Amino acid sequence: MDRLCDEILQLILNELNNPSAFTLISKRHYEFARDPYVRASYFLGRYGRIQALYWALGRGKLLDERVIDILLSSGAHLSRYLVQCAMHHYFRTQVPFIKTRWVRTIPLPVFSYFLSIAARMYGDIPVAKGEDDGSILSLLLKQSRFPTEYRAAKWEQVKDVVEKYKFIPFSDRVRRPWKGMLPAG
């Protein structure tokens, strides 16, 4: 395997659920897997642009400032809701639908860097209970049968959440609080 070109090694790496054992094969594989471009390519290739950052945040020891930059410059999606949930989870507040350690394995300097990028993208990010983007969307769905004037979540607010703050629900592998509320089809 030491004769394989880097492109083939990247393809092999992308197929592995946990590439830790791959890095133990040889020094070359270890050095190859330490490259920030390889790590970013792993998350993008394995999970796609929409979910790459979510899964990268869950592999804290693989994530550093350079990997975050490469992911974002390569088109990885960063929604304000992902940032809100990551903040709540990292600082051990409410995220009842995430049962793993997820972002808690990220070193504080790297997580701070992630938050600084999010703040540059979205400005002031609401973090209070019930003010996150998922709660706003969930409230709209719960009150969808109410007359417009009685709804707590206004259409303009929801439009901003989706268009301006790039709302996308979490990975299919994470239970979402609004699952079952969306119409089938």
Side-chain angles (χ1 to χ4, degrees):
M1 283 203 27
D2 281 337
R3 294 182 187 181
L4 295 175
C5 65
D6 289 350
E7 291 80 8
I8 300 298
L9 289 177
Q10 183 73 56
L11 290 172
I12 293 169
L13 191 69
N14 289 356
E15 293 301 317
L16 302 173
N17 286 329
N18 185 352
S20 303
F22 177 82
T23 64
L24 301 175
I25 294 173
S26 71
K27 186 175 180 178
R28 177 176 179 237
H29 293 118
Y30 176 77
E31 292 300 323
F32 176 78
R34 289 182 48 86
D35 184 285
Y37 285 98
V38 170
R39 290 178 179 191
S41 296
Y42 170 78
F43 292 114
L44 288 165
R46 181 145 183 91
Y47 303 107
R49 290 182 323 110
I50 301 297
Q51 295 184 8
L53 261 171
Y54 169 81
W55 291 102
L57 290 170
R59 301 293 301 270
K61 294 179 182 176
L62 296 178
L63 197 62
D64 62 17
E65 294 87 347
R66 189 74 182 118
V67 174
I68 292 171
D69 288 339
I70 295 166
L71 283 169
L72 291 173
S73 67
S74 298
H77 185 82
L78 176 60
S79 70
R80 188 173 78 167
Y81 182 56
L82 178 68
V83 175
Q84 290 167 330
C85 289
M87 289 169 63
H88 286 294
H89 193 262
Y90 194 85
F91 297 111
R92 303 190 188 282
T93 56
Q94 80 235 350
V95 187
F97 55 91
I98 297 177
K99 306 294 184 197
T100 65
R101 295 189 60 204
W102 190 41
V103 297
R104 293 181 185 151
T105 60
I106 300 173
L108 183 59
V110 176
F111 192 71
S112 297
Y113 181 75
F114 170 73
L115 293 180
S116 71
I117 289 176
R120 280 196 304 269
M121 286 177 71
Y122 297 118
D124 189 29
I125 299 172
V127 293
K129 185 175 182 175
E131 289 183 4
D132 65 84
D133 296 345
S135 296
I136 292 169
L137 183 62
S138 182
L139 185 61
L140 176 78
L141 292 172
K142 286 178 184 174
Q143 296 178 346
S144 63
R145 296 200 170 130
F146 292 8
T148 307
E149 60 273 7
Y150 295 117
R151 293 181 191 162
K154 302 298 178 202
W155 177 246
E156 294 78 26
Q157 188 180 21
V158 173
K159 185 178 175 189
D160 277 349
V161 165
V162 173
E163 292 178 359
K164 186 177 178 184
Y165 302 121
K166 304 176 184 178
F167 180 86
I168 288 185
F170 271 86
S171 167
D172 294 334
R173 297 178 190 162
V174 175
R175 189 186 71 74
R176 296 169 307 280
W178 54 84
K179 189 174 182 177
M181 293 183 198
L182 298 175

